[in-house]
Amino acid sequence: MGYLSATYSLLRFQTSMLTQVMQDAINAQINNELYSSYGYLSMSAWCQHEQFTGAAHWMRIQSEEERTHALKLQDFLLARYAKVILKPIAQPEVEFSSVVEVFEKALAQEQKVTEQIDKLYELAFQEKAFAALVELEWFITEQVEEEKTAREVVHKFQMVKNDPASLLDLDRELSQRVAEPAETK
Ligand code: FEO
């Protein structure tokens, strides 16, 4: 048997270090993160259409960050020699009643993701998936930050209410958001 075919046979019989249940759960979370990214992209489009260009910019950056979260999990699965199974992404909401509602929904979305990550962490614990536990710790810390940031914006919108000058100021503030370097997203 040649070297290449011997290597191939060896690889064929290798299995992932992750249990199937853990692989399925991480694949599901990749879909959740992509849905989140899709949702923020839809929010960004709505804000832009309503001429809240700063809020649209903020949401576009958030959408990109969620995509990097999905990629981080994808890379983790591949590093553990597990299969990545991408599933269809559900349609996000497309209509909102106000810009404050957009950010309230963003906060609710982050709270939901926090629950998903917590459940995944609990599962990794049960499955004794120690490398996954370490990987997921990054996500747990990230969720604390993401919820905090979204909550602060919601409070600001609730404070300014419908005052046009204050809304313009807040929109200008949101336009200042800078994308984080890829490794810290
Ligand atoms: Fe990746 Fe904001 O959850």
Side-chain angles (χ1 to χ4, degrees):
M1 191 183 289
Y3 173 74
L4 275 180
S5 55
T7 308
Y8 179 65
S9 315
L10 202 64
L11 277 176
R12 269 181 56 209
F13 295 109
Q14 273 215 353
T15 51
S16 171
M17 295 74 160
L18 291 168
T19 59
Q20 192 59 49
V21 66
M22 203 60 224
Q23 290 183 45
D24 292 347
I26 295 175
N27 270 308
Q29 190 57 30
I30 290 175
N31 191 266
N32 291 335
E33 300 287 348
L34 290 174
Y35 175 72
S36 202
S37 174
Y38 218 25
Y40 284 124
L41 195 58
S42 182
M43 290 175 185
S44 175
W46 187 90
C47 290
Q48 184 79 36
H49 190 255
E50 297 297 314
Q51 307 305 313
F52 284 106
T53 55
H57 166 82
W58 193 100
M59 287 292 171
R60 178 83 74 111
I61 288 182
Q62 189 60 33
S63 174
E64 284 302 315
E65 286 205 5
E66 297 304 341
R67 189 169 170 277
T68 66
H69 296 170
L71 290 177
K72 198 166 163 57
L73 290 170
Q74 168 155 332
D75 289 343
F76 175 74
L77 278 183
L78 293 170
R80 298 267 85 197
Y81 201 57
K83 283 281 238 181
V84 171
I85 313 281
L86 297 178
K87 305 257 174 68
I89 306 168
Q91 184 184 12
E93 277 187 62
V94 293
E95 281 301 337
F96 304 92
S97 60
S98 64
V99 69
V100 64
E101 194 204 10
V102 171
F103 280 88
E104 283 167 352
K105 295 220 159 149
L107 175 58
Q109 170 65 21
E110 288 309 324
Q111 288 166 332
K112 193 169 157 197
V113 173
T114 298
E115 271 176 39
Q116 292 164 346
I117 296 289
D118 285 353
K119 278 198 185 126
L120 197 52
Y121 191 83
E122 194 179 356
L123 182 69
F125 199 75
Q126 286 162 6
E127 295 287 308
K128 296 186 170 57
F130 300 116
L133 284 172
V134 174
E135 181 73 14
L136 290 170
E137 273 167 19
W138 182 92
F139 283 85
I140 290 174
T141 308
E142 177 71 5
Q143 282 312 118
V144 172
E145 195 53 39
E146 296 215 325
E147 273 191 46
K148 175 177 172 282
T149 309
R151 194 174 295 111
E152 283 169 358
V153 181
V154 168
H155 280 163
K156 284 180 186 173
F157 270 112
Q158 286 171 345
M159 269 191 292
V160 306
K161 294 198 164 57
N162 289 325
D163 177 55
S166 306
L167 274 174
L168 272 177
D169 274 349
L170 186 46
D171 193 55
R172 200 170 297 123
E173 184 185 322
L174 294 171
S175 76
Q176 305 299 311
R177 182 173 181 183
V178 177
E180 287 173 36
E183 67 272 17
T184 58
K185 277 177 185 173

